[in-house]
């Protein structure tokens, strides 16, 4: 590359392109090695989303609709699962569906997070975005959830503790840790087996405790590292027609097995937040369950990805706001629980359960929209220019641009 501003002047080492890391779940970019998706679209229909402060991508790199669609559909399943929690105790069918959804919705979300964290390093601008897009929202929403519970649930004694993530904020804490360790996972020879070993050992260690929700962070770690190791062609494998067809009986079988397992299995295993001993099992069961659940989760996640649309849909743009929907829908779910919204008897019947499911889907969809993102951007994506020094690379780039040709 040569300096376009000095075509006849001395050659200089090019500055790295301006790039902004994402906040929360990384912003998807279309991969150049996926020509099949682009070739299947008519000219002029590239299914791109205009970049904003919330969804900035590298210049000239359009968003890949597949990943935006996957993020949106995964966050809808997350919201539905949370809405089912107050109802599932009286419905074995709903309990079975709950177990199936919990087996893959967060793994899918985390795999995508890892996939788009592959370029993360300790560069100043990426560290800044990690702080403003993950650490700051964690602090804001951790405090907000505690204050909300104090008022809505009449629990004024609940302490504010940034070391003990409450409800949904564990994901931000975990993402911060995972992202910081990304250079290490890219350095070691066998990252995935090592991450799996860490997760297996974590289940045997109740002494890890609740600080920073490390138990859940370590048990979900293999999914993040798997995302780091994946390439575009791996996603192409699960997007084939035969995989899509096969996924239907696989999901049906998963529902049947879950229905059978409801009275026989502790659903706490799917949360990945407790050790084996804390779940009432011998220590050696923990590593076995890590392997078993990892296999089940990967199969169901592959089936989920197989049915994610590749083309631009009406909800594709909402994939850029999934972290908003994730963090904000918790206030609705917890508020409904505190205020007795789920206590109505008709909601515990099949039609009521369907109604709650639809309401959860609509609510989280609205929370991912652009107007909501504009309102809450101050908490989710603060610029915080006052807190950081100007990056030397950015200053040099600005100076280069001001230099006359």
């Amino acid at each position: 590359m040569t300096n376009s501003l000095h075509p006849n002047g001395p050659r200089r080492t090019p500055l790295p392109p301006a790039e902004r890391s994402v906040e929360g779940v990384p912003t998807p970019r279309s991969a150049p090695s996926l020509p099949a998706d682009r070739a299947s679209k008519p000219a002029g229909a590239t299914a791109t989303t205009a970049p904003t402060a919330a969804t900035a991508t590298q210049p000239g790199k359009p968003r890949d609709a597949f990943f935006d669609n996957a993020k949106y559909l995964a966050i809808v399943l997350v919201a539905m699962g949370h809405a089912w929690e107050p109802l599932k105790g009286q419905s074995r069918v709903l309990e079975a569906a709950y177990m199936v959804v919990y087996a893959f919705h967060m793994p899918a979300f985390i795999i995508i997070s890892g996939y788009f964290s592959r370029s993360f390093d300790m560069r100043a601008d990426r560290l800044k975005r990690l702080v403003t897009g993950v650490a700051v929202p964690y602090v804001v929403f951790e405090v907000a959830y505690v204050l909300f519970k104090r008022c809505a649930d009449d629990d004024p004694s609940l302490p504010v503790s940034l070391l003990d993530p409450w409800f949904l904020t564990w994901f931000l804490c975990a993402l911060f840790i995972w992202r910081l360790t990304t250079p290490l996972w890219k350095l070691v020879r066998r990252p995935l087996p090592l991450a799996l070993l860490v997760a297996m050992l974590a289940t045997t260690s109740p002494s890890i405790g609740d600080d920073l929700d490390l138990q859940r962070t370590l048990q979900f770690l293999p999914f993040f590292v798997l995302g780091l190791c994946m390439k575009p062609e791996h996603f192409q494998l699960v997007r084939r027609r035969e995989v899509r067809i096969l996924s239907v009986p696989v999901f049906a079988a998963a529902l049947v097995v879950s229905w059978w397992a409801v009275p026989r299995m502790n659903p706490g295993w799917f949360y990945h937040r407790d050790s084996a001993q804390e779940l009432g099992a011998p220590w050696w069961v923990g590593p076995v369950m890590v392997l078993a659940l990892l296999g089940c989760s990967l199969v169901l996640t592959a089936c989920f990805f197989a049915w994610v649309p590749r083309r631009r849909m009406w909800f594709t743009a909402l994939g850029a706001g999934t972290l908003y929907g994730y963090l904000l829908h918790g206030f609705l779910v917890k508020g409904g629980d505190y205020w007795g919204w789920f206590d109505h008897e008709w909601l515990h019947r099949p039609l009521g359960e369907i109604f709650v499911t639809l309401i959860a889907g609509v609510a989280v969809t609205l929370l991912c929209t652009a107007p909501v993102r504009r309102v809450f951007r101050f908490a989710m994506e603060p610029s915080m220019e006052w807190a950081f020094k100007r990056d030397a690379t950015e200053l040099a780039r600005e100076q280069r641009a001001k230099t006359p040709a």
Side-chain angles (χ1 to χ4, degrees):
M1 183 186 301
T2 59
N3 188 343
S4 60
L5 296 178
H6 297 78
N8 301 318
R11 287 175 166 246
R12 303 180 184 176
T13 303
L15 293 170
E19 177 180 331
R20 303 181 69 185
S21 302
V22 295
E23 54 290 302
V25 177
T27 300
R29 305 179 179 96
S30 62
S33 58
L34 298 179
D37 286 355
R38 292 198 294 270
S40 63
K41 300 172 186 174
T46 55
T48 60
T49 301
T52 65
T55 63
T57 62
Q58 288 185 0
K61 292 215 174 184
R63 298 176 67 95
D64 189 332
F66 169 79
F67 291 105
D68 273 335
N69 293 338
K71 287 169 57 183
Y72 167 76
L73 295 174
I75 209 63
V76 168
L77 291 174
V78 169
M80 289 179 175
H82 288 149
W84 290 344
E85 287 183 4
L87 308 176
K88 63 185 179 66
Q90 301 181 24
S91 172
R92 187 168 177 175
V93 173
L94 191 62
E95 183 88 24
Y98 178 87
M99 292 175 66
V100 171
V101 167
Y102 263 73
F104 76 90
H105 68 358
M106 285 310 296
F109 214 69
I110 294 168
I111 287 173
I112 295 175
S113 298
Y115 179 72
F116 287 104
S117 295
R118 294 173 301 162
S119 63
F120 180 83
D121 53 28
M122 294 299 178
R123 211 172 74 185
D125 59 333
R126 288 173 176 152
L127 287 174
K128 175 184 174 183
R129 294 293 292 172
L130 181 61
V131 171
T132 59
V134 179
V136 171
Y138 168 71
V139 174
V140 171
F141 279 87
E142 178 68 18
V143 174
Y145 270 121
V146 172
L147 295 180
F148 179 74
K149 180 172 174 57
R150 284 183 178 183
C151 298
D153 198 30
D154 193 20
D155 186 10
S157 63
L158 183 68
V160 175
S161 174
L162 298 181
L163 295 179
D164 187 10
W166 193 75
F167 196 32
L168 302 177
T169 57
W170 73 269
F171 178 72
L172 291 177
C173 185
L175 183 62
F176 187 85
I177 296 172
W178 294 331
R179 190 76 62 76
L180 277 182
T181 60
T182 293
L184 173 63
W185 298 112
K186 294 193 295 184
L187 179 65
V188 299
R189 288 183 180 272
R190 299 289 186 268
L192 189 55
L194 180 58
L196 188 57
L197 178 62
V198 170
M200 294 168 67
L201 292 176
T203 62
T204 68
S205 307
S207 59
I208 289 178
D210 296 327
D211 289 349
L212 299 180
D213 222 342
L214 280 180
Q215 188 68 252
R216 184 145 45 180
T217 300
L218 297 178
Q219 290 193 35
F220 274 115
L221 176 63
F223 298 104
F224 182 81
V225 176
L226 175 61
L228 289 176
C229 298
M230 293 185 71
K231 299 178 180 180
E233 52 265 30
H234 295 141
F235 287 97
Q236 290 285 58
L237 291 176
V238 300
R239 290 157 67 176
R240 295 178 299 176
R241 183 172 180 271
E242 54 268 30
V243 178
R244 190 177 302 113
I245 295 174
L246 184 61
S247 65
V248 176
V250 169
F251 265 118
L255 287 170
V256 172
V257 172
S258 296
W259 186 87
W260 173 86
V262 165
R264 299 172 174 85
M265 182 178 179
N266 187 341
W269 290 107
F270 293 97
Y271 303 145
H272 297 280
R273 66 187 177 198
D274 298 303
S275 65
Q277 295 91 324
E278 291 171 313
L279 292 174
W283 68 268
W284 58 266
V285 175
V288 173
M289 290 299 295
V290 166
L291 293 174
L293 291 177
L294 177 68
C296 293
S297 296
L298 291 182
V299 170
L300 292 176
T301 299
C303 294
F304 168 71
F305 284 149
W307 278 96
V308 172
R310 310 180 195 184
R311 64 184 184 280
R312 186 173 179 82
M313 309 290 289
W314 65 266
F315 54 79
T316 301
L318 301 178
T322 49
L323 195 61
Y324 288 79
Y326 175 79
L327 291 172
L328 293 173
H329 88 274
F331 291 102
L332 298 178
V333 172
K334 286 297 182 183
D337 191 22
Y338 299 151
W339 299 323
W341 294 351
F342 298 100
D343 294 340
H344 299 285
E345 185 63 29
W346 69 275
L347 291 179
H348 295 263
R349 298 168 186 163
L351 288 180
E353 293 165 356
I354 294 174
F355 173 78
V356 170
T357 302
L358 293 177
I359 290 296
V362 171
V364 76
T365 297
L366 294 176
L367 294 176
C368 293
T369 56
V372 174
R373 299 205 302 268
R374 284 195 295 268
V375 171
F376 290 96
R377 185 163 293 155
F378 75 95
M380 299 288 293
E381 303 174 74
S383 62
M384 296 184 64
E385 297 295 339
W386 54 269
F388 298 97
K389 296 179 180 179
R390 296 293 299 277
D391 180 46
T393 301
E394 182 181 352
L395 291 173
R397 186 181 296 110
E398 291 180 359
Q399 184 64 31
R400 182 77 62 85
K402 294 177 181 178
T403 302

